[in-house]
Amino acid sequence: MAGSMIVPTFVGNGCISYEPRPIPTLEAPDDVVVRIEACGICGTDLNILAVPPAHKATPGIIIGHEGVGIVEQFGSDVSGLQVGDRVVIANRLTCGRCIYCRRGLDNQCTNYQTIGTTVDGAFAPYLRAPARALWTIDSAVPRDDAALFEPLACAVGSIKRATFQAGDNVAIIGAGPMGLLFALMYRAMGAGKIIVIDLAPFRLEFARTLGLDEALNAAEVDSADKVKQLTGTGADIVVDAVGNQLAQAIALARRGGQIILFGLRPHDSPPINQYTITRYDLTVHGTFVGLHPFAQTIQLLESGRVQPSVLVTDRLPLGELERGVEMMRTQQAMKVLIDMEL
Ligand SMILES: [Zn+2]
Ligand SMILES: [Zn+2]
């Protein structure tokens, strides 16, 4: 295993630089070394590489958290893993000691590290990670479905916040990779109509290829009117996968409906009409990355009932990470995977 690898490291100010790094080896007894097969580019990576940054990352680290790979080595304290197992990454390293961890709300841990933002991530041929961050997945699951484990887990964990009944009509604002993962999930769960809304023609065209009921361009139609027309009352459940669309979400929901706020736009303060929430008995759920979604997400991927790789439009070698980021940023691609086997 000795040797070095050339990896993109995060410099800061939107820049990465390709540098040699030693191939990681076991340090702690609970460490695992994983040979990465593929790693998805996430909206979080776009935010880290934005100028000014819209998401924090520690300069000098390797980013990337949507990784799938094969166990190469593990430390003496690790049990339940074999060399050769395929694993996916649950990237949040919670402390287990803060009051939120102790209350079981580990997505609210006040003392967390994250693989790919504060410690080295998976845009690299090899990753060292503690065993608790890794989940084994059946090798029969296609590699590129497994690569989307982390974003799918975010959808799985967020969806459970809003009571759902088969047949519910769902409107999703934002037809990027996350919005479409919500759509695939709701379709698998037996939703009634699924309507996605965006401004980007590429994304709407892509959504249409998935066979969703409607893909509305909010620049061309009044989406509230249209959703009302399609559903009779407004959507039973509205998902904001953008992060600043609460006012629009309120307009799309039926009386008594529910809204899931998933997107993250920390600097936006959209004006909203609180009266409407009160008058029409709306329920608004804020959800952050989902609480305890991992076991079910593995089971779901192993069932094959949701195949998130349908969102992958491009596969690029590690040396073209910046090009992949640009393709997603300019919305010429839906989901880009960095493929370590290219
Ligand atoms: Zn992600
Ligand atoms: Zn904690």
Side-chain angles (χ1 to χ4, degrees):
M1 293 281 302
S4 66
M5 55 186 190
I6 305 289
V7 288
T9 56
F10 174 60
V11 179
N13 202 32
C15 292
I16 55 179
S17 131
Y18 283 84
E19 289 171 8
R21 285 282 187 90
I23 289 177
T25 52
L26 301 174
E27 279 181 1
D30 65 338
D31 277 344
V32 180
V33 174
V34 179
R35 176 174 57 79
I36 299 296
E37 300 173 278
C39 182
I41 299 177
C42 178
T44 300
D45 301 316
L46 270 51
N47 287 338
I48 289 170
L49 294 171
V51 182
H55 195 288
K56 275 190 193 153
T58 308
I61 67 146
I62 302 165
I63 63 171
H65 59 271
E66 298 182 358
V68 56
I70 303 292
V71 172
E72 290 261 325
Q73 274 187 295
F74 52 83
S76 55
D77 278 4
V78 177
S79 57
L81 278 184
Q82 307 276 339
V83 169
D85 280 350
R86 178 174 275 164
V87 288
V88 291
I89 302 167
N91 62 319
R92 180 156 294 236
L93 301 173
T94 54
C95 77
R97 295 183 304 275
C98 75
I99 191 65
Y100 289 107
C101 281
R102 293 176 71 184
R103 293 186 68 161
L105 298 171
D106 63 5
N107 65 338
Q108 297 300 333
C109 174
T110 54
N111 190 30
Y112 65 87
Q113 302 277 322
T114 309
I115 292 170
T117 64
T118 63
V119 299
D120 279 344
F123 287 136
Y126 292 91
L127 168 79
R128 174 180 52 237
R132 66 194 159 92
L134 301 174
W135 289 72
T136 52
I137 188 161
D138 194 314
S139 59
V141 176
R143 182 197 73 170
D144 294 355
D145 286 320
L148 274 78
F149 163 77
E150 187 271 342
L152 184 65
C154 289
V156 167
S158 296
I159 277 173
K160 81 176 168 198
R161 291 292 301 276
T163 337
F164 172 80
Q165 195 169 331
D168 276 348
N169 292 325
V170 180
I172 298 164
I173 307 170
M178 282 314 310
L180 295 183
L181 283 175
F182 276 93
L184 296 178
M185 284 294 305
Y186 275 114
R187 183 164 66 184
M189 290 162 64
K193 287 200 174 72
I194 300 174
I195 302 157
V196 298
I197 299 151
D198 204 295
L199 295 167
F202 169 82
R203 290 178 158 191
L204 293 165
E205 238 1 272
F206 191 92
R208 288 185 191 107
T209 68
L210 298 177
L212 305 174
D213 298 283
E214 282 286 341
L216 304 178
N217 188 330
E220 290 168 3
V221 296
D222 181 323
S223 42
D225 279 357
K226 188 75 183 164
V227 166
K228 234 156 231 143
Q229 188 190 321
L230 290 163
T231 59
T233 55
D236 298 298
I237 294 175
V238 182
V239 177
D240 172 9
V242 177
N244 56 8
Q245 296 292 308
L246 178 54
Q248 183 63 13
I250 289 169
L252 299 179
R254 70 157 165 86
R255 297 184 181 204
Q258 300 175 83
I259 295 168
I260 295 176
L261 301 182
F262 175 82
L264 294 165
R265 293 279 178 109
H267 307 303
D268 292 358
S269 306
I272 57 148
N273 181 252
Q274 183 178 329
Y275 168 82
T276 322
I277 298 175
T278 309
R279 173 64 184 82
Y280 298 125
D281 268 351
L282 301 182
T283 304
V284 178
H285 306 275
T287 80
F288 179 60
V289 302
L291 182 63
H292 304 310
F294 301 118
Q296 278 88 344
T297 305
I298 295 283
Q299 290 170 197
L300 182 63
L301 286 167
E302 290 182 345
S303 78
R305 250 184 287 286
V306 169
Q307 293 172 317
S309 64
V310 295
L311 303 181
V312 176
T313 49
D314 301 86
R315 294 166 183 83
L316 298 176
L318 184 57
E320 293 185 38
L321 174 61
E322 284 162 299
R323 187 160 82 89
V325 167
E326 209 41 44
M327 287 166 72
M328 281 179 65
R329 184 171 283 147
T330 54
Q331 297 177 346
Q332 306 164 56
M334 183 52 70
K335 189 76 177 175
V336 179
L337 285 190
I338 295 301
D339 186 338
M340 303 307 159
E341 293 163 336
L342 282 179

